[in-house]
Amino acid sequence: MKTIKDLDPSLIEDLKSQLRGKVVLPSSSNYDETRKVYNGMIDKKPGLFVMCVDVADVIAAVNFGRVNNLEIAVRGGGHNGGGLGLCNDGLVIDLSGIKFVRVDTSKNTVRVGGGNLWGEVDHATHPFGLVIPAGIISTTGVGGLTLGGGVGYLSRKFGLTIDNLLEADMVLADGSFVTVNATQHPDLFWAIRGGGGNYGIVTAFKFQAHPLKTVIGGPTFWPIEQTEAIMAWFDSFIHKAPEDLNGFIATLVVPGPPFPEHLHNKQFCGIVWCYTGDPDKFEKVFAPVREQQPFFEHVGEMPYPAIQTLFDGMMPPGLQWYWRADFYNEIQPEAASQHKKFGSEIPTPLSQMHMYPISGAASKPSKEDTPWAYRDAKYAGVIVGVDPSPSNASKITDWCKAYWDALHPYSSGGAYSNFMMDEGQERVKASYKHNYARLAEIKQKYDPNNLFHVNQNIAPKAG
């Protein structure tokens, strides 16, 4: 592959003339700011950014990268843990200028730009009393989260984000533009609902939204010493609970405000709840939680966007992040023992472990309905080492790896792709299981030369 340095400068000037958006080069004054992503541990140096503002810009950028044999990365919200929205010395096609949210209240559908963040979507849908299932941080990009699956507060009630995707506009590797849905390019529509950015660049999404204005939610904490008992109870409770109740279980340290001072810098086993049902029935539904006598509870009614932004302040862009993940069929006692051990050894206040339930609406599609092969798993688990200081990068990485090594024998194999770093082809295959072969065939049809490979890559099936 060529690098940008190998190109005649006149080619870049010609590209500029085809764009409404801007080009950012290493010589540009805003280059270092432009190459920042959510994970401060990522320090890649692209040769060229194309800051797209419309579909025509994306087409021009794709054609430029393909014709000149450049490495291409695609960046939406920039949240990817492994920094797969960037590449060294190649071309980054940046979608952050393609932003719009259009709500159709006649059908409760929402069209969203490929560069939008979820907080922007929530801002637009909330006045209409509508939600689209997403994650738990509002600064996450719509594109990356959706294409990988989309696990979050509303998964048990409304399914994964991909279960609510109706249509997408895409620019393919050959520079062509297509709209995909259940009747137009249905094979490609199947592939993008979990298959990541392997198949093209999505410039617009169309989602089914659901009526929901407020939720009852927030955290409950127990001392880390109670981890084994709380995890055993949670494992027996959450999957049988009404679908209106969701909660993800965590090992964590309370880092500081807005939590009360007596909790600061202490380790806990926590559950963050989100209830979408009738407020009058909440006390009855939540009674089994209170029977576990949490050490701390801060659960109350709030607008849906408020729970989506609950952790934004503690997790601003630019922190050091290291991720490891797996799916789990249950929380075995031996695994809970490891959670207690490593939860007691959390190296920095922001490092933590989460396990998100995959039940209720999220478990109803079959393992073949979308590429998301672990519909029968009970949890998508993730361990994150997080800290502001680069000097702690090895500390958080070592803890994260050791925690993962201890838990992996109790896992069901692969991992939710949005929770993975750049971990290689075998981990990707394990994460798609029986769906990988079909994904590879569709990749061969739409991107036979693997132009879009800076991702959790699915290699084209050999002819």
Side-chain angles (χ1 to χ4, degrees), residues 249-283:
I249 194 162
T251 56
L252 60 110
V253 172
V254 173
F259 293 100
E261 191 172 348
H262 73 278
L263 302 178
H264 294 182
N265 299 311
K266 291 185 170 67
Q267 294 100 348
F268 291 98
C269 175
I271 304 171
V272 182
W273 302 99
C274 179
Y275 174 75
T276 58
D278 182 348
D280 292 338
K281 297 180 180 178
F282 173 73
E283 291 299 328

PDB file of all heavy atoms in Angstrom, residues 249-283:
ATOM      1  N   ILE A 249     -24.494  -5.162  35.960  1.00  0.00           N
ATOM      2  CA  ILE A 249     -23.763  -5.360  37.205  1.00  0.00           C
ATOM      3  C   ILE A 249     -22.295  -5.045  36.979  1.00  0.00           C
ATOM      4  O   ILE A 249     -21.761  -5.280  35.884  1.00  0.00           O
ATOM      5  CB  ILE A 249     -23.974  -6.787  37.753  1.00  0.00           C
ATOM      6  CG1 ILE A 249     -23.491  -6.879  39.203  1.00  0.00           C
ATOM      7  CG2 ILE A 249     -23.344  -7.850  36.859  1.00  0.00           C
ATOM      8  CD1 ILE A 249     -24.029  -8.080  39.948  1.00  0.00           C
ATOM      9  N   ALA A 250     -21.641  -4.511  38.002  1.00  0.00           N
ATOM     10  CA  ALA A 250     -20.289  -3.982  37.830  1.00  0.00           C
ATOM     11  C   ALA A 250     -19.453  -4.215  39.086  1.00  0.00           C
ATOM     12  O   ALA A 250     -19.985  -4.361  40.188  1.00  0.00           O
ATOM     13  CB  ALA A 250     -20.346  -2.487  37.534  1.00  0.00           C
ATOM     14  N   THR A 251     -18.144  -4.259  38.897  1.00  0.00           N
ATOM     15  CA  THR A 251     -17.200  -4.035  39.993  1.00  0.00           C
ATOM     16  C   THR A 251     -16.546  -2.695  39.708  1.00  0.00           C
ATOM     17  O   THR A 251     -16.165  -2.405  38.569  1.00  0.00           O
ATOM     18  CB  THR A 251     -16.154  -5.152  40.106  1.00  0.00           C
ATOM     19  OG1 THR A 251     -15.462  -5.307  38.856  1.00  0.00           O
ATOM     20  CG2 THR A 251     -16.804  -6.480  40.467  1.00  0.00           C
ATOM     21  N   LEU A 252     -16.426  -1.854  40.733  1.00  0.00           N
ATOM     22  CA  LEU A 252     -16.022  -0.477  40.482  1.00  0.00           C
ATOM     23  C   LEU A 252     -15.486   0.177  41.742  1.00  0.00           C
ATOM     24  O   LEU A 252     -15.661  -0.332  42.856  1.00  0.00           O
ATOM     25  CB  LEU A 252     -17.226   0.327  39.972  1.00  0.00           C
ATOM     26  CG  LEU A 252     -18.415   0.395  40.939  1.00  0.00           C
ATOM     27  CD1 LEU A 252     -18.557   1.807  41.498  1.00  0.00           C
ATOM     28  CD2 LEU A 252     -19.701  -0.045  40.283  1.00  0.00           C
ATOM     29  N   VAL A 253     -14.875   1.321  41.532  1.00  0.00           N
ATOM     30  CA  VAL A 253     -14.495   2.230  42.615  1.00  0.00           C
ATOM     31  C   VAL A 253     -15.308   3.500  42.430  1.00  0.00           C
ATOM     32  O   VAL A 253     -15.462   3.986  41.304  1.00  0.00           O
ATOM     33  CB  VAL A 253     -12.984   2.556  42.568  1.00  0.00           C
ATOM     34  CG1 VAL A 253     -12.633   3.656  43.561  1.00  0.00           C
ATOM     35  CG2 VAL A 253     -12.158   1.309  42.851  1.00  0.00           C
ATOM     36  N   VAL A 254     -15.858   4.036  43.513  1.00  0.00           N
ATOM     37  CA  VAL A 254     -16.549   5.322  43.413  1.00  0.00           C
ATOM     38  C   VAL A 254     -15.483   6.415  43.344  1.00  0.00           C
ATOM     39  O   VAL A 254     -14.725   6.622  44.299  1.00  0.00           O
ATOM     40  CB  VAL A 254     -17.484   5.547  44.612  1.00  0.00           C
ATOM     41  CG1 VAL A 254     -18.054   6.961  44.577  1.00  0.00           C
ATOM     42  CG2 VAL A 254     -18.616   4.518  44.592  1.00  0.00           C
ATOM     43  N   PRO A 255     -15.373   7.112  42.195  1.00  0.00           N
ATOM     44  CA  PRO A 255     -14.229   8.018  41.995  1.00  0.00           C
ATOM     45  C   PRO A 255     -14.326   9.349  42.723  1.00  0.00           C
ATOM     46  O   PRO A 255     -13.316  10.016  42.922  1.00  0.00           O
ATOM     47  CB  PRO A 255     -14.224   8.225  40.478  1.00  0.00           C
ATOM     48  CG  PRO A 255     -15.640   8.026  40.061  1.00  0.00           C
ATOM     49  CD  PRO A 255     -16.216   7.005  40.994  1.00  0.00           C
ATOM     50  N   GLY A 256     -15.534   9.755  43.098  1.00  0.00           N
ATOM     51  CA  GLY A 256     -15.690  11.075  43.725  1.00  0.00           C
ATOM     52  C   GLY A 256     -17.056  11.634  43.438  1.00  0.00           C
ATOM     53  O   GLY A 256     -18.015  10.873  43.223  1.00  0.00           O
ATOM     54  N   PRO A 257     -17.199  12.973  43.417  1.00  0.00           N
ATOM     55  CA  PRO A 257     -18.487  13.589  43.104  1.00  0.00           C
ATOM     56  C   PRO A 257     -18.999  13.085  41.751  1.00  0.00           C
ATOM     57  O   PRO A 257     -18.189  12.759  40.879  1.00  0.00           O
ATOM     58  CB  PRO A 257     -18.162  15.082  43.051  1.00  0.00           C
ATOM     59  CG  PRO A 257     -16.916  15.232  43.862  1.00  0.00           C
ATOM     60  CD  PRO A 257     -16.154  13.967  43.664  1.00  0.00           C
ATOM     61  N   PRO A 258     -20.331  12.973  41.587  1.00  0.00           N
ATOM     62  CA  PRO A 258     -21.394  13.498  42.456  1.00  0.00           C
ATOM     63  C   PRO A 258     -21.793  12.564  43.596  1.00  0.00           C
ATOM     64  O   PRO A 258     -22.787  12.834  44.269  1.00  0.00           O
ATOM     65  CB  PRO A 258     -22.564  13.662  41.470  1.00  0.00           C
ATOM     66  CG  PRO A 258     -22.375  12.542  40.501  1.00  0.00           C
ATOM     67  CD  PRO A 258     -20.884  12.400  40.334  1.00  0.00           C
ATOM     68  N   PHE A 259     -21.057  11.487  43.822  1.00  0.00           N
ATOM     69  CA  PHE A 259     -21.418  10.561  44.897  1.00  0.00           C
ATOM     70  C   PHE A 259     -21.016  11.137  46.261  1.00  0.00           C
ATOM     71  O   PHE A 259     -20.069  11.926  46.358  1.00  0.00           O
ATOM     72  CB  PHE A 259     -20.731   9.208  44.677  1.00  0.00           C
ATOM     73  CG  PHE A 259     -21.226   8.481  43.462  1.00  0.00           C
ATOM     74  CD1 PHE A 259     -20.500   8.497  42.276  1.00  0.00           C
ATOM     75  CD2 PHE A 259     -22.425   7.787  43.493  1.00  0.00           C
ATOM     76  CE1 PHE A 259     -20.953   7.840  41.147  1.00  0.00           C
ATOM     77  CE2 PHE A 259     -22.891   7.116  42.366  1.00  0.00           C
ATOM     78  CZ  PHE A 259     -22.157   7.145  41.199  1.00  0.00           C
ATOM     79  N   PRO A 260     -21.716  10.731  47.337  1.00  0.00           N
ATOM     80  CA  PRO A 260     -21.382  11.216  48.683  1.00  0.00           C
ATOM     81  C   PRO A 260     -19.944  10.885  49.074  1.00  0.00           C
ATOM     82  O   PRO A 260     -19.385   9.865  48.655  1.00  0.00           O
ATOM     83  CB  PRO A 260     -22.378  10.478  49.585  1.00  0.00           C
ATOM     84  CG  PRO A 260     -23.493  10.068  48.690  1.00  0.00           C
ATOM     85  CD  PRO A 260     -22.888   9.842  47.340  1.00  0.00           C
ATOM     86  N   GLU A 261     -19.358  11.749  49.875  1.00  0.00           N
ATOM     87  CA  GLU A 261     -17.933  11.638  50.209  1.00  0.00           C
ATOM     88  C   GLU A 261     -17.587  10.332  50.904  1.00  0.00           C
ATOM     89  O   GLU A 261     -16.494   9.795  50.713  1.00  0.00           O
ATOM     90  CB  GLU A 261     -17.521  12.827  51.088  1.00  0.00           C
ATOM     91  CG  GLU A 261     -16.007  12.951  51.271  1.00  0.00           C
ATOM     92  CD  GLU A 261     -15.613  14.233  51.983  1.00  0.00           C
ATOM     93  OE1 GLU A 261     -16.478  15.128  52.131  1.00  0.00           O
ATOM     94  OE2 GLU A 261     -14.441  14.330  52.383  1.00  0.00           O
ATOM     95  N   HIS A 262     -18.514   9.776  51.698  1.00  0.00           N
ATOM     96  CA  HIS A 262     -18.183   8.547  52.429  1.00  0.00           C
ATOM     97  C   HIS A 262     -18.018   7.334  51.513  1.00  0.00           C
ATOM     98  O   HIS A 262     -17.538   6.291  51.950  1.00  0.00           O
ATOM     99  CB  HIS A 262     -19.243   8.258  53.508  1.00  0.00           C
ATOM    100  CG  HIS A 262     -20.564   7.782  52.976  1.00  0.00           C
ATOM    101  ND1 HIS A 262     -21.524   8.650  52.496  1.00  0.00           N
ATOM    102  CD2 HIS A 262     -21.090   6.540  52.851  1.00  0.00           C
ATOM    103  CE1 HIS A 262     -22.582   7.955  52.103  1.00  0.00           C
ATOM    104  NE2 HIS A 262     -22.340   6.667  52.308  1.00  0.00           N
ATOM    105  N   LEU A 263     -18.394   7.472  50.227  1.00  0.00           N
ATOM    106  CA  LEU A 263     -18.215   6.386  49.259  1.00  0.00           C
ATOM    107  C   LEU A 263     -16.920   6.509  48.462  1.00  0.00           C
ATOM    108  O   LEU A 263     -16.491   5.539  47.838  1.00  0.00           O
ATOM    109  CB  LEU A 263     -19.385   6.374  48.266  1.00  0.00           C
ATOM    110  CG  LEU A 263     -20.800   6.229  48.820  1.00  0.00           C
ATOM    111  CD1 LEU A 263     -21.804   6.290  47.677  1.00  0.00           C
ATOM    112  CD2 LEU A 263     -20.953   4.928  49.592  1.00  0.00           C
ATOM    113  N   HIS A 264     -16.301   7.672  48.486  1.00  0.00           N
ATOM    114  CA  HIS A 264     -15.182   7.947  47.579  1.00  0.00           C
ATOM    115  C   HIS A 264     -14.027   6.974  47.787  1.00  0.00           C
ATOM    116  O   HIS A 264     -13.639   6.665  48.917  1.00  0.00           O
ATOM    117  CB  HIS A 264     -14.681   9.381  47.765  1.00  0.00           C
ATOM    118  CG  HIS A 264     -15.675  10.417  47.349  1.00  0.00           C
ATOM    119  ND1 HIS A 264     -15.413  11.772  47.396  1.00  0.00           N
ATOM    120  CD2 HIS A 264     -16.946  10.308  46.860  1.00  0.00           C
ATOM    121  CE1 HIS A 264     -16.480  12.434  46.973  1.00  0.00           C
ATOM    122  NE2 HIS A 264     -17.410  11.576  46.649  1.00  0.00           N
ATOM    123  N   ASN A 265     -13.499   6.497  46.634  1.00  0.00           N
ATOM    124  CA  ASN A 265     -12.309   5.631  46.594  1.00  0.00           C
ATOM    125  C   ASN A 265     -12.504   4.289  47.284  1.00  0.00           C
ATOM    126  O   ASN A 265     -11.529   3.619  47.632  1.00  0.00           O
ATOM    127  CB  ASN A 265     -11.091   6.359  47.186  1.00  0.00           C
ATOM    128  CG  ASN A 265     -10.756   7.610  46.397  1.00  0.00           C
ATOM    129  OD1 ASN A 265     -10.674   7.566  45.169  1.00  0.00           O
ATOM    130  ND2 ASN A 265     -10.604   8.730  47.075  1.00  0.00           N
ATOM    131  N   LYS A 266     -13.758   3.864  47.437  1.00  0.00           N
ATOM    132  CA  LYS A 266     -14.049   2.536  47.987  1.00  0.00           C
ATOM    133  C   LYS A 266     -14.525   1.622  46.861  1.00  0.00           C
ATOM    134  O   LYS A 266     -15.183   2.052  45.916  1.00  0.00           O
ATOM    135  CB  LYS A 266     -15.112   2.620  49.084  1.00  0.00           C
ATOM    136  CG  LYS A 266     -14.638   3.312  50.363  1.00  0.00           C
ATOM    137  CD  LYS A 266     -15.717   3.244  51.441  1.00  0.00           C
ATOM    138  CE  LYS A 266     -15.196   3.705  52.794  1.00  0.00           C
ATOM    139  NZ  LYS A 266     -14.874   5.142  52.814  1.00  0.00           N
ATOM    140  N   GLN A 267     -14.199   0.323  46.990  1.00  0.00           N
ATOM    141  CA  GLN A 267     -14.593  -0.658  45.982  1.00  0.00           C
ATOM    142  C   GLN A 267     -15.991  -1.188  46.275  1.00  0.00           C
ATOM    143  O   GLN A 267     -16.326  -1.474  47.435  1.00  0.00           O
ATOM    144  CB  GLN A 267     -13.609  -1.833  45.938  1.00  0.00           C
ATOM    145  CG  GLN A 267     -12.225  -1.467  45.458  1.00  0.00           C
ATOM    146  CD  GLN A 267     -11.247  -1.291  46.594  1.00  0.00           C
ATOM    147  OE1 GLN A 267     -11.639  -1.233  47.749  1.00  0.00           O
ATOM    148  NE2 GLN A 267      -9.960  -1.205  46.258  1.00  0.00           N
ATOM    149  N   PHE A 268     -16.765  -1.365  45.202  1.00  0.00           N
ATOM    150  CA  PHE A 268     -18.126  -1.867  45.348  1.00  0.00           C
ATOM    151  C   PHE A 268     -18.469  -2.856  44.239  1.00  0.00           C
ATOM    152  O   PHE A 268     -17.873  -2.841  43.159  1.00  0.00           O
ATOM    153  CB  PHE A 268     -19.140  -0.713  45.291  1.00  0.00           C
ATOM    154  CG  PHE A 268     -19.084   0.206  46.468  1.00  0.00           C
ATOM    155  CD1 PHE A 268     -18.374   1.403  46.398  1.00  0.00           C
ATOM    156  CD2 PHE A 268     -19.725  -0.112  47.652  1.00  0.00           C
ATOM    157  CE1 PHE A 268     -18.317   2.262  47.486  1.00  0.00           C
ATOM    158  CE2 PHE A 268     -19.670   0.737  48.749  1.00  0.00           C
ATOM    159  CZ  PHE A 268     -18.968   1.926  48.671  1.00  0.00           C
ATOM    160  N   CYS A 269     -19.441  -3.685  44.542  1.00  0.00           N
ATOM    161  CA  CYS A 269     -20.195  -4.394  43.508  1.00  0.00           C
ATOM    162  C   CYS A 269     -21.451  -3.570  43.297  1.00  0.00           C
ATOM    163  O   CYS A 269     -22.205  -3.326  44.253  1.00  0.00           O
ATOM    164  CB  CYS A 269     -20.536  -5.809  43.965  1.00  0.00           C
ATOM    165  SG  CYS A 269     -21.590  -6.708  42.794  1.00  0.00           S
ATOM    166  N   GLY A 270     -21.658  -3.085  42.104  1.00  0.00           N
ATOM    167  CA  GLY A 270     -22.774  -2.182  41.852  1.00  0.00           C
ATOM    168  C   GLY A 270     -23.676  -2.687  40.746  1.00  0.00           C
ATOM    169  O   GLY A 270     -23.271  -3.508  39.914  1.00  0.00           O
ATOM    170  N   ILE A 271     -24.906  -2.229  40.760  1.00  0.00           N
ATOM    171  CA  ILE A 271     -25.841  -2.475  39.662  1.00  0.00           C
ATOM    172  C   ILE A 271     -26.474  -1.132  39.309  1.00  0.00           C
ATOM    173  O   ILE A 271     -26.966  -0.420  40.190  1.00  0.00           O
ATOM    174  CB  ILE A 271     -26.943  -3.486  40.038  1.00  0.00           C
ATOM    175  CG1 ILE A 271     -26.333  -4.811  40.517  1.00  0.00           C
ATOM    176  CG2 ILE A 271     -27.864  -3.734  38.840  1.00  0.00           C
ATOM    177  CD1 ILE A 271     -27.349  -5.783  41.106  1.00  0.00           C
ATOM    178  N   VAL A 272     -26.444  -0.789  38.035  1.00  0.00           N
ATOM    179  CA  VAL A 272     -27.081   0.438  37.555  1.00  0.00           C
ATOM    180  C   VAL A 272     -28.382   0.032  36.865  1.00  0.00           C
ATOM    181  O   VAL A 272     -28.377  -0.713  35.881  1.00  0.00           O
ATOM    182  CB  VAL A 272     -26.165   1.216  36.602  1.00  0.00           C
ATOM    183  CG1 VAL A 272     -26.845   2.518  36.167  1.00  0.00           C
ATOM    184  CG2 VAL A 272     -24.825   1.523  37.264  1.00  0.00           C
ATOM    185  N   TRP A 273     -29.496   0.531  37.392  1.00  0.00           N
ATOM    186  CA  TRP A 273     -30.827   0.100  36.968  1.00  0.00           C
ATOM    187  C   TRP A 273     -31.460   1.089  35.997  1.00  0.00           C
ATOM    188  O   TRP A 273     -31.156   2.279  36.026  1.00  0.00           O
ATOM    189  CB  TRP A 273     -31.745  -0.032  38.190  1.00  0.00           C
ATOM    190  CG  TRP A 273     -31.243  -0.997  39.215  1.00  0.00           C
ATOM    191  CD1 TRP A 273     -30.556  -0.699  40.367  1.00  0.00           C
ATOM    192  CD2 TRP A 273     -31.359  -2.420  39.173  1.00  0.00           C
ATOM    193  NE1 TRP A 273     -30.247  -1.849  41.056  1.00  0.00           N
ATOM    194  CE2 TRP A 273     -30.725  -2.926  40.352  1.00  0.00           C
ATOM    195  CE3 TRP A 273     -31.934  -3.326  38.288  1.00  0.00           C
ATOM    196  CZ2 TRP A 273     -30.664  -4.278  40.643  1.00  0.00           C
ATOM    197  CZ3 TRP A 273     -31.871  -4.680  38.570  1.00  0.00           C
ATOM    198  CH2 TRP A 273     -31.251  -5.143  39.729  1.00  0.00           C
ATOM    199  N   CYS A 274     -32.371   0.546  35.178  1.00  0.00           N
ATOM    200  CA  CYS A 274     -33.190   1.380  34.306  1.00  0.00           C
ATOM    201  C   CYS A 274     -34.541   0.698  34.142  1.00  0.00           C
ATOM    202  O   CYS A 274     -34.625  -0.408  33.599  1.00  0.00           O
ATOM    203  CB  CYS A 274     -32.523   1.586  32.953  1.00  0.00           C
ATOM    204  SG  CYS A 274     -33.488   2.602  31.801  1.00  0.00           S
ATOM    205  N   TYR A 275     -35.588   1.366  34.609  1.00  0.00           N
ATOM    206  CA  TYR A 275     -36.955   0.816  34.560  1.00  0.00           C
ATOM    207  C   TYR A 275     -37.792   1.674  33.623  1.00  0.00           C
ATOM    208  O   TYR A 275     -37.845   2.898  33.769  1.00  0.00           O
ATOM    209  CB  TYR A 275     -37.554   0.809  35.967  1.00  0.00           C
ATOM    210  CG  TYR A 275     -39.008   0.406  36.045  1.00  0.00           C
ATOM    211  CD1 TYR A 275     -39.392  -0.918  35.902  1.00  0.00           C
ATOM    212  CD2 TYR A 275     -39.995   1.371  36.259  1.00  0.00           C
ATOM    213  CE1 TYR A 275     -40.735  -1.286  35.981  1.00  0.00           C
ATOM    214  CE2 TYR A 275     -41.345   1.015  36.345  1.00  0.00           C
ATOM    215  CZ  TYR A 275     -41.701  -0.319  36.200  1.00  0.00           C
ATOM    216  OH  TYR A 275     -43.031  -0.685  36.282  1.00  0.00           O
ATOM    217  N   THR A 276     -38.460   1.021  32.669  1.00  0.00           N
ATOM    218  CA  THR A 276     -39.192   1.738  31.626  1.00  0.00           C
ATOM    219  C   THR A 276     -40.707   1.592  31.755  1.00  0.00           C
ATOM    220  O   THR A 276     -41.440   2.081  30.906  1.00  0.00           O
ATOM    221  CB  THR A 276     -38.780   1.218  30.235  1.00  0.00           C
ATOM    222  OG1 THR A 276     -39.048  -0.194  30.177  1.00  0.00           O
ATOM    223  CG2 THR A 276     -37.302   1.454  29.973  1.00  0.00           C
ATOM    224  N   GLY A 277     -41.166   0.928  32.810  1.00  0.00           N
ATOM    225  CA  GLY A 277     -42.584   0.614  32.923  1.00  0.00           C
ATOM    226  C   GLY A 277     -43.393   1.660  33.666  1.00  0.00           C
ATOM    227  O   GLY A 277     -42.964   2.802  33.875  1.00  0.00           O
ATOM    228  N   ASP A 278     -44.582   1.241  34.085  1.00  0.00           N
ATOM    229  CA  ASP A 278     -45.513   2.079  34.825  1.00  0.00           C
ATOM    230  C   ASP A 278     -44.879   2.479  36.162  1.00  0.00           C
ATOM    231  O   ASP A 278     -44.555   1.617  36.970  1.00  0.00           O
ATOM    232  CB  ASP A 278     -46.806   1.295  35.063  1.00  0.00           C
ATOM    233  CG  ASP A 278     -47.872   2.088  35.797  1.00  0.00           C
ATOM    234  OD1 ASP A 278     -47.559   3.167  36.341  1.00  0.00           O
ATOM    235  OD2 ASP A 278     -49.017   1.609  35.847  1.00  0.00           O
ATOM    236  N   PRO A 279     -44.712   3.778  36.416  1.00  0.00           N
ATOM    237  CA  PRO A 279     -44.092   4.192  37.679  1.00  0.00           C
ATOM    238  C   PRO A 279     -44.832   3.667  38.908  1.00  0.00           C
ATOM    239  O   PRO A 279     -44.215   3.407  39.943  1.00  0.00           O
ATOM    240  CB  PRO A 279     -44.143   5.729  37.617  1.00  0.00           C
ATOM    241  CG  PRO A 279     -44.192   6.036  36.160  1.00  0.00           C
ATOM    242  CD  PRO A 279     -44.986   4.931  35.543  1.00  0.00           C
ATOM    243  N   ASP A 280     -46.141   3.496  38.800  1.00  0.00           N
ATOM    244  CA  ASP A 280     -46.916   3.020  39.944  1.00  0.00           C
ATOM    245  C   ASP A 280     -46.584   1.575  40.306  1.00  0.00           C
ATOM    246  O   ASP A 280     -46.881   1.136  41.426  1.00  0.00           O
ATOM    247  CB  ASP A 280     -48.411   3.137  39.654  1.00  0.00           C
ATOM    248  CG  ASP A 280     -48.866   4.585  39.573  1.00  0.00           C
ATOM    249  OD1 ASP A 280     -48.164   5.460  40.131  1.00  0.00           O
ATOM    250  OD2 ASP A 280     -49.902   4.846  38.926  1.00  0.00           O
ATOM    251  N   LYS A 281     -46.000   0.836  39.374  1.00  0.00           N
ATOM    252  CA  LYS A 281     -45.658  -0.565  39.627  1.00  0.00           C
ATOM    253  C   LYS A 281     -44.190  -0.753  40.003  1.00  0.00           C
ATOM    254  O   LYS A 281     -43.747  -1.872  40.285  1.00  0.00           O
ATOM    255  CB  LYS A 281     -45.978  -1.409  38.381  1.00  0.00           C
ATOM    256  CG  LYS A 281     -47.457  -1.424  38.030  1.00  0.00           C
ATOM    257  CD  LYS A 281     -47.712  -2.266  36.786  1.00  0.00           C
ATOM    258  CE  LYS A 281     -49.213  -2.269  36.441  1.00  0.00           C
ATOM    259  NZ  LYS A 281     -49.484  -3.039  35.200  1.00  0.00           N
ATOM    260  N   PHE A 282     -43.446   0.351  40.000  1.00  0.00           N
ATOM    261  CA  PHE A 282     -42.003   0.228  40.219  1.00  0.00           C
ATOM    262  C   PHE A 282     -41.663  -0.369  41.580  1.00  0.00           C
ATOM    263  O   PHE A 282     -40.792  -1.240  41.685  1.00  0.00           O
ATOM    264  CB  PHE A 282     -41.317   1.589  40.064  1.00  0.00           C
ATOM    265  CG  PHE A 282     -39.855   1.557  40.435  1.00  0.00           C
ATOM    266  CD1 PHE A 282     -38.924   0.952  39.601  1.00  0.00           C
ATOM    267  CD2 PHE A 282     -39.409   2.105  41.637  1.00  0.00           C
ATOM    268  CE1 PHE A 282     -37.581   0.906  39.939  1.00  0.00           C
ATOM    269  CE2 PHE A 282     -38.070   2.067  41.991  1.00  0.00           C
ATOM    270  CZ  PHE A 282     -37.158   1.463  41.136  1.00  0.00           C
ATOM    271  N   GLU A 283     -42.303   0.105  42.622  1.00  0.00           N
ATOM    272  CA  GLU A 283     -41.948  -0.354  43.970  1.00  0.00           C
ATOM    273  C   GLU A 283     -42.084  -1.862  44.093  1.00  0.00           C
ATOM    274  O   GLU A 283     -41.233  -2.526  44.709  1.00  0.00           O
ATOM    275  CB  GLU A 283     -42.812   0.353  45.022  1.00  0.00           C
ATOM    276  CG  GLU A 283     -42.514   1.837  45.162  1.00  0.00           C
ATOM    277  CD  GLU A 283     -41.088   2.131  45.603  1.00  0.00           C
ATOM    278  OE1 GLU A 283     -40.517   1.314  46.349  1.00  0.00           O
ATOM    279  OE2 GLU A 283     -40.541   3.165  45.189  1.00  0.00           O
TER     280      GLU A 283
END
